Amino acid sequence: MGSTSTPPHVLIIGAGITGLVLAQTLRKHGVSFAVYERDPDPLHRGKGWGLTIHWSLDAFLRLLPQHLVDRLPETYVDPDAVARGENGNFLLFDLRTGETKWKVPPAKRLRVSRERLRRLLMDGIDVQVSQGNFFQSIRFRDTAKCLSVEQIYL
């Protein structure tokens, strides 16, 4: 008689970029999960700054399902610059003279809108909104390698 085990169910607290990348990776690998978030919509805290994904770009692309990788151009800060093959120069200026002091050369990177990336990463993910609350208690049961959560509040 073989042993039977219950597949894991992962609780993800927070539907920010990291929580949503985790959710998409679990979805890609068929692992059950639930995402809990306090904000009712991706614009609740404003659009935020653009993000540059560089040193982690290869890992980021491997984590996502291919259909989302294919849609990443929807998130670009400047799609026209990307189409021209410009992946960005970071220029640092002398603010007194306007003279360029340093130029960080282009490298493999993506410059994306945080809000558009978050919306893309929400594709196919059911985010449970739970506002204004907190964790009551969490217990670890070593024998079952299980986490018992009495109540989840955000």
Side-chain angles (χ1 to χ4, degrees):
M1 193 170 189
S3 76
T4 59
S5 65
T6 305
H9 180 74
V10 178
L11 301 179
I12 301 170
I13 309 303
I17 303 299
T18 303
L20 293 170
V21 169
L22 175 58
Q24 288 293 353
T25 303
L26 293 172
R27 181 175 171 219
K28 178 179 174 179
H29 293 284
V31 177
S32 174
F33 64 89
V35 179
Y36 294 89
E37 169 64 37
R38 70 177 167 194
D39 296 338
D41 122 343
L43 290 178
H44 186 74
R45 293 189 223 178
K47 290 186 177 187
W49 295 91
L51 303 173
T52 301
I53 306 170
H54 42 92
W55 61 268
S56 62
L57 181 58
D58 290 335
F60 175 73
L61 297 174
R62 281 193 311 271
L63 291 170
L64 295 180
Q66 188 60 47
H67 74 281
L68 293 183
V69 172
D70 295 341
R71 291 182 51 206
L72 278 172
E74 297 172 23
T75 69
Y76 293 166
V77 169
D78 187 350
D80 295 332
V82 175
R84 291 189 303 270
E86 300 170 7
N87 64 350
N89 289 309
F90 289 110
L91 301 176
L92 301 169
F93 299 97
D94 181 325
L95 295 179
R96 286 176 282 164
T97 65
E99 173 189 356
T100 301
K101 297 300 279 184
W102 295 280
K103 178 179 177 181
V104 178
K108 185 176 176 183
R109 59 180 162 235
L110 292 179
R111 183 90 175 122
V112 298
S113 156
R114 180 187 183 282
E115 178 262 330
R116 289 193 299 254
L117 179 60
R118 191 168 176 225
R119 284 186 188 273
L120 177 73
L121 293 172
M122 286 180 160
D123 183 62
I125 303 295
D126 182 27
V127 176
Q128 306 294 317
V129 176
S130 179
Q131 295 177 316
N133 301 307
F134 54 90
F135 280 101
Q136 182 177 14
S137 69
I138 298 175
R139 289 188 317 264
F140 293 92
R141 293 181 280 161
D142 293 332
T143 56
K145 295 183 181 177
C146 172
L147 170 66
S148 174
V149 180
E150 287 184 14
Q151 292 183 1
I152 296 177
Y153 297 105
L154 299 178

